[in-house]
Amino acid sequence: MGKQLKKKRAPEEKAGALIAVVLLVAFYVFLFLLDNAIPTNSVTVMLIPVLKKSAIFALVCVSMNLLNGFTGLFSLGQAGFMLIGAYSFAIFSIPAGQHDAVYQYFNGGAIRFSIPEILSGVLGENAGAFWGSIICIIIAGLVAAVFAALIGIPVLRLKSDYLAIATLGFAEIIRAVFQWDGLGVVTNGSNLLRKYTNFHDIKIQIGGTIFQLDTLFPVLIATVCILIIVLLVNSSYGRAFKAIRDDEVAAEAMGINLFRHKMLSFVISSFFAGVGGALLAMFQTTVQAAPFRTSMTYEILLMVVIGGIGSISGSCIASFLYIAASEWWLRFLDSGGITVMGTHFDIPFFRDGFRKVVFSVVIMIIVLFFSRGIMGDKELSFAGMIRKIRRRKEAKGAAAAGKEGEAQ
């Protein structure tokens, strides 16, 4: 019976996977055209930054969901690991000739080389910037993972709110330490890190033509990282994480090493948070520790809750909706009125700050009517959609056949 079900589901799974691949490729083609062919207008000016930022926060939300939703560890240190990733990326990608200008108060800083610049001398400018950025992004994730492993030893023995408070405290300590002038030769103290590789520097040369990958690059990196997390969640390690989330005592009784798996989840989540921080640094073009406050972690947690705790696709959907609504769709509420057909109509209560009021009300409505988030703990599945459509068709066919039989 089980084999028959698998055989029946196989075509649906294949069709679902094919649809997903086609849509993903079409999306990448659209992003490529957006960077190189589609002319700039009022829509693309807003769409491009929203797509970049949504991809970055989708990755960070999925990494947080791995820890909070799939392993059941309530951690609030995501902003701290993003800060580490952002600084690590910037430090290793500032050109050697710019160190004196960037580290002007610290004699040019301690690290005087740039990985993208070194690779550019070997592979060429465009290839060097591309592969150098990827190496720096990996380094950013690894540095964040090392910090996570160090603090995970004491804090992962805590549970629930105590773990949340400990990780939140770590994030605040890291933010303060990175602004300390004693580490200024590395972090530049409370000053900005700038002039490092950003998305606009990512290009590819085919023949004699150079193509921009400004928008495609962050989306591609975020997609690869999210796919790795999906594979992890569906592996034996992922099942162990879920067992710990559901019942630690039962999981330990089944032979699962609680501390080892918690540490693994914590380190992997921090690695991808560091990658997200590196991408955010490239997006912002400058890095400073002050913006990586507790409010950033709460914002990420809110996206996770809106999408659904334990749903990867929910986190991705919520990230786009949250960023688009807060930074694009509701922006007209701050403009003092509405413009229709070139005519501006003043509305008294449309003023600076009203956008945040409406956005807060929208979030409250979503939380009230979707108590488990938009997706709950389920995933968006094209195979599941195909199965539902076929069941409905079969049900209608059976009903029609029944009516014909009764008529005869």
Side-chain angles (χ1 to χ4, degrees):
M1 188 70 179
K3 289 181 179 179
Q4 289 178 352
L5 285 172
K6 284 183 180 179
K7 286 180 181 179
K8 287 181 180 178
R9 289 179 181 177
E12 295 162 354
E13 296 292 339
K14 289 179 181 178
L18 181 62
I19 292 171
V21 170
V22 169
L23 290 177
L24 198 60
V25 170
F27 182 55
Y28 287 148
V29 170
F30 169 71
L31 294 177
F32 184 80
L33 294 175
L34 201 60
D35 285 333
N36 298 281
I38 299 175
T40 302
N41 53 51
S42 59
V43 175
T44 58
V45 165
M46 296 304 301
L47 177 62
I48 289 172
V50 164
L51 287 173
K52 291 179 189 175
K53 197 170 182 181
S54 298
I56 294 165
F57 276 92
L59 171 58
V60 177
C61 288
V62 171
S63 72
M64 190 176 199
N65 219 340
L66 174 66
L67 199 59
N68 292 22
F70 291 99
T71 316
L73 299 176
F74 188 32
S75 170
L76 293 176
Q78 218 71 359
F81 296 117
M82 289 179 69
L83 168 64
I84 294 169
Y87 267 80
S88 299
F89 177 87
I91 288 167
F92 288 104
S93 61
I94 298 173
Q98 300 292 343
H99 274 78
D100 288 333
V102 175
Y103 290 90
Q104 57 182 325
Y105 302 110
F106 299 99
N107 299 319
I111 299 173
R112 290 177 169 269
F113 65 89
S114 165
I115 293 175
E117 192 175 43
I118 292 170
L119 290 180
S120 294
V122 179
L123 304 175
E125 184 180 353
N126 296 322
F130 182 86
W131 293 110
S133 296
I134 290 177
I135 292 172
C136 288
I137 288 170
I138 294 171
I139 289 173
L142 290 174
V143 173
V146 169
F147 272 86
L150 292 175
I151 71 160
I153 295 170
V155 304
L156 288 180
R157 301 188 186 280
L158 303 173
K159 294 182 180 180
S160 189
D161 298 340
Y162 300 103
L163 175 61
I165 293 168
T167 52
L168 187 63
F170 158 76
E172 287 299 304
I173 291 168
I174 284 292
R175 188 171 63 85
V177 168
F178 271 56
Q179 294 181 92
W180 176 44
D181 284 346
L183 284 178
V185 292
V186 177
T187 64
N188 207 22
S190 58
N191 305 297
L192 291 171
L193 287 176
R194 52 198 173 86
K195 298 185 181 297
Y196 53 81
T197 306
N198 57 58
F199 291 142
H200 191 67
D201 299 322
I202 307 300
K203 303 170 185 176
I204 186 171
Q205 184 170 353
I206 301 175
T209 308
I210 296 175
F211 296 100
Q212 192 76 39
L213 301 180
D214 198 356
T215 310
L216 180 60
F217 183 78
V219 176
L220 182 62
I221 296 296
T223 302
V224 171
C225 293
I226 291 171
L227 286 175
I228 292 171
I229 295 175
V230 170
L231 293 174
L232 176 66
V233 168
N234 292 321
S235 69
S236 58
Y237 288 102
R239 289 190 287 273
F241 295 157
K242 293 173 187 176
I244 293 170
R245 175 197 63 189
D246 295 336
D247 192 328
E248 287 191 9
V249 176
E252 191 172 26
M254 293 298 292
I256 295 173
N257 187 320
L258 296 183
F259 180 77
R260 179 171 170 269
H261 282 84
K262 285 181 180 180
M263 177 65 84
L264 186 64
S265 177
F266 190 58
V267 168
I268 293 172
S269 173
S270 302
F271 173 87
F272 288 112
V275 171
L279 293 175
L280 186 62
M282 296 181 76
F283 174 74
Q284 294 177 337
T285 69
T286 60
V287 174
Q288 211 269 340
F292 292 86
R293 297 181 179 275
T294 306
S295 57
M296 180 178 284
T297 299
Y298 292 152
E299 192 175 19
I300 296 165
L301 180 61
L302 180 59
M303 293 182 208
V304 172
V305 172
I306 290 172
I309 297 177
S311 173
I312 292 174
S313 54
S315 294
C316 298
I317 294 168
S319 299
F320 175 77
L321 294 177
Y322 186 93
I323 299 297
S326 62
E327 300 192 9
W328 182 15
W329 296 338
L330 301 179
R331 189 172 288 274
F332 71 95
L333 298 173
D334 290 342
S335 62
I338 299 176
T339 302
V340 180
M341 303 293 289
T343 305
H344 186 76
F345 298 93
D346 291 330
I347 301 177
F349 52 85
F350 278 20
R351 60 185 68 182
D352 289 344
F354 188 63
R355 170 170 55 103
K356 294 183 179 179
V357 175
V358 174
F359 185 58
S360 300
V361 172
V362 171
I363 290 172
M364 288 174 63
I365 292 170
I366 291 173
V367 171
L368 286 172
F369 287 93
F370 297 90
S371 58
R372 298 184 63 191
I374 295 171
M375 295 296 296
D377 59 353
K378 294 180 173 56
E379 299 292 350
L380 182 65
S381 171
F382 292 109
M385 292 179 186
I386 293 170
R387 278 195 288 271
K388 285 182 181 178
I389 293 169
R390 285 185 177 177
R391 284 170 187 167
R392 286 178 183 175
K393 287 182 178 179
E394 288 173 359
K396 286 181 181 179
K403 286 180 181 179
E404 288 179 5
E406 288 176 2
Q408 291 176 356

